[in-house]
Structures are given as C-alpha cells and as structure tokens.
Amino acid sequence: MNTGRRLVAEIGLVIYPDCQLAAVYGLTDLFRIAGDMARVAEEPTSPAIRVSHWRQEGAEIVCSYDSDPGPDHALAHAITPPSLIMPDRMQPMTALADWMSRLHRSGTTLCSICAGAFVLAETGLLQGREATTHWAFAETLASRFPAVRVDADRMLIDDGDIITAGGILAWTDLGLTLVERLLGPSVMLDTARFLIIDPPGRTQRPYGQFVPKLDHGDQAILAVQHWLQATGAKDHAVPMLAARAGLEERTFLRRFKKATGLRPTEYGQQIRIAKAREALERTRRPVEQIAWQTGYGDPSTFRKLFHRVTGLSPQEYRRRFGIALQAHANASAEA
C-alpha cells in the first residue's frame, strides 16, 4: 500500500469481452485525480480510493490490476463499463453475473454504464427497478429484460445499492457521483473543474434522436411511414393516413401502434421535432420561422412540445448544439 494514503473504499472495474477500455482507464485516472484533489498538506494521510480491475479467466473472476495491492479485497462498488459492440451482439456472461450477484449479497453497490446495463441485468437484480442505458439501446434492454423499468431520459439513476448511467461517456457522471459519495462534494467539484467536465445532473434527452422502427414487416404501415418522412409529417391526420394505407381507421391505429410503438400523432411530432432540431443546429433562422416551416402555426405550442421532447427550449438547444451559431460567433471574433 502507498504511504500517505487512507483508503476509504475499493472500486472494482469489470473488464468483459469487447468492453470500452477507455472508460476503464478513464475511471481509473479519475479516481486517482480525485485522491490527489483530496490531499491536504497539513494531514499525515489523505483519503484515497483503491481501484482494481477484474476479468474472467476460465471459470474464475480474477483481479488483473490493483492500485494498492496488499490488503484483502472488499469492493464497495463494482462497475460494468460500456461495450464497443451493439447489445444484440453481446454474449451472455453468466459467470460475471453470478460473481456480481455474490458481491451484491455481501454489500457491494453494483453500477453500470451504457450497454454495461445488459451485463448488470443478467444478475436479475434490475427486475422491478428503474434503470437507464444509452438512449439508442433502451428499447433492446426493455425487450430483452421486460421486468426492468427502462428510463433512457435520465443520465444516471441512483438506487443506493444499484446505480445505472446512460450514454457512452456517462462514466464521467458515474465517476463524479462516486467521488462525491466517498470523498465529499468539494473534492468532486475540484475533480470536475480539473478535468473540465460537467458535474452530475445532466439528462440524455437533448442528445436522443428519433429512430423509426422500419423492420416490422407491415408493408401498409411502412408505406405510410415513408410518406410521413418524405413530407416532414406536416399532415398526419388519421383519416388521411388510414386512407393511404387502405385500412379502416380503427384497424390502421391498431396496426400503426403495434408496428411503430407510437400513435400516428406522436410519430408525426417526432418527425417534425427532428426537422426543427436540424434547423436549430444548422441555421440561424428565427424560432418562429422554424416552427412555421415544420408545421406549427403557433410558436408557443411548438416551444412547449419541443421542450417536452428534448428537455430544452429551442433557444437553449440552439446555444448548446447550434453549429451555425458557433460558426457565426467565430467569424465575428475574427473580424
């Protein structure tokens, strides 16, 4: 053990096939930096977090790295990082899931990031709980583990004994959350400032994209989807859409919801908001003009709906993601 360090907890990082090693090593560095931030010159020892890496070798789960070798392991937290492959290509990891279940029974808090939620879900411990993952994987997680209450709008869900984090880079949110829990809020803020990253509290909603389901096999509904996409869904009245599909209205509504997971009105709104997001990102057109061009005659209605879908007002969204706005600011600064 290094001298001058008072270990407050051990965090184990799980290395599984095709996991994102950048997150593993990034968290290792983040916890080390947090320990440096916690160092107080007047004290003989400073609080620090012990970090260990764990991987499967044969039928055993073994430690492959230890920042403070010597003492017996006692994991306060175990983290499954993101995956570099899509969840539908991830193989079952029964041995890891059994190991994590045993840790949980002994008091370890289990954590996941992004697609690491699929590894955590194999333990069965997410049943009946809220959990988050990358917004693009939420539907797959809910389908594969239907007892999990998936909420992909949230970047981090802390249940105390289980913590799930959303997007690929949400390891920063999880890491800072654990630093705050183990070393205090001031150390967490110092660490965030040093790394130039936002403290926890973000949401995934502004980053999500509408990805329509097109592989459902219902050709009549698919034809309507293609028409809505081509026309920007400016007209999504149910009688007209049902007529285009050649179906009675009640049948059309039932089949549309079954195929897409959304009602026609909701589907049309998603398309129109996606068009509005693109305009806010790539142009400097006024919000009122964008509202009208995407089919909303009332700008206040557009603003309310936009906020409901993205979690931001149109102005806030443009400030955060506006490419054209940033290019204009750069040009003005150079002039």
Side-chain angles (χ1 to χ4, degrees):
M1 182 189 305
N2 295 337
T3 59
R5 287 162 57 90
R6 173 172 54 84
L7 300 178
V8 297
E10 180 179 0
I11 296 178
L13 302 171
V14 181
I15 299 177
Y16 59 86
D18 297 304
C19 75
Q20 186 192 51
L21 294 177
V24 173
Y25 295 123
L27 282 167
T28 301
D29 290 343
L30 185 151
F31 294 134
R32 176 177 175 175
I33 290 168
D36 292 340
M37 295 294 161
R39 185 172 295 121
V40 179
E42 291 79 10
E43 294 185 1
T45 60
S46 59
I49 297 171
R50 180 184 183 185
V51 180
S52 51
H53 298 175
W54 299 80
R55 66 173 70 239
Q56 183 175 350
E57 292 186 2
E60 301 295 323
I61 310 299
V62 300
C63 178
S64 58
Y65 165 82
D66 191 346
S67 66
D68 291 83
D72 292 339
H73 292 287
L75 298 185
H77 301 81
I79 302 173
T80 54
S83 171
L84 290 176
I85 62 175
M86 298 297 287
D88 55 4
R89 293 171 53 201
M90 295 172 66
Q91 299 299 312
M93 302 179 201
T94 305
L96 277 175
D98 291 344
W99 176 72
M100 293 171 66
S101 295
R102 292 194 298 272
L103 288 176
H104 187 260
R105 287 195 295 271
S106 67
T108 301
T109 296
L110 301 183
C111 312
S112 68
I113 307 160
C114 192
F118 288 79
V119 183
L120 179 52
E122 286 192 49
T123 66
L125 295 169
L126 291 182
Q127 291 190 20
R129 292 181 183 253
E130 289 186 326
T132 189
T133 185
H134 192 290
W135 59 265
F137 305 152
E139 187 173 329
T140 304
L141 182 65
S143 175
R144 189 176 301 177
F145 302 98
V148 181
R149 293 154 52 201
V150 181
D151 183 355
D153 283 347
R154 296 160 69 182
M155 189 69 76
L156 190 138
I157 297 178
D158 185 350
D159 254 2
D161 62 327
I162 291 180
I163 306 174
T164 55
I168 295 173
L169 292 180
W171 61 264
T172 62
D173 298 80
L174 176 61
L176 291 175
T177 296
L178 297 183
V179 168
E180 182 175 19
R181 177 178 293 187
L182 299 172
L183 300 176
S186 62
V187 173
M188 182 275 288
L189 290 172
D190 286 343
T191 303
R193 291 190 188 100
F194 182 80
L195 294 172
I196 318 180
I197 55 179
D198 291 334
R202 298 181 296 158
T203 173
Q204 288 198 95
R205 286 168 66 193
Y207 302 92
Q209 290 181 323
F210 175 53
V211 182
K213 292 176 62 176
L214 303 173
D215 58 353
H216 45 72
D218 189 327
Q219 293 303 311
I221 299 302
L222 183 61
V224 171
Q225 289 177 266
H226 286 161
W227 183 84
L228 286 169
Q229 205 73 46
T231 60
K234 291 184 179 180
D235 185 357
H236 52 260
V238 170
M240 182 270 296
L241 296 179
R244 292 193 69 88
L247 300 171
E248 186 270 336
E249 286 186 29
R250 184 176 299 178
T251 302
F252 169 74
L253 287 170
R254 175 178 54 79
R255 284 173 56 174
F256 193 95
K257 179 68 181 293
K258 180 181 178 181
T260 68
L262 297 170
R263 293 188 292 270
T265 300
E266 297 169 331
Y267 194 94
Q269 287 174 346
Q270 288 287 349
I271 291 175
R272 293 158 83 179
I273 292 301
K275 296 287 186 184
R277 288 166 71 139
E278 183 177 359
L280 289 166
E281 292 165 4
R282 298 182 178 276
T283 77
R284 296 173 56 214
R285 294 200 299 269
V287 170
E288 291 76 10
Q289 183 180 354
I290 292 173
W292 181 81
Q293 290 174 336
T294 52
Y296 294 97
D298 182 0
S300 63
T301 299
F302 167 73
R303 287 186 172 93
K304 291 176 183 177
L305 178 62
F306 191 92
H307 189 278
R308 188 164 76 237
V309 173
T310 68
L312 298 173
S313 71
Q315 292 86 349
E316 290 170 330
Y317 187 90
R318 172 170 271 165
R319 280 195 293 271
R320 184 177 295 189
F321 300 105
I323 300 171
L325 189 67
Q326 186 59 48
H328 176 73
N330 292 341
S332 299
E334 293 173 0

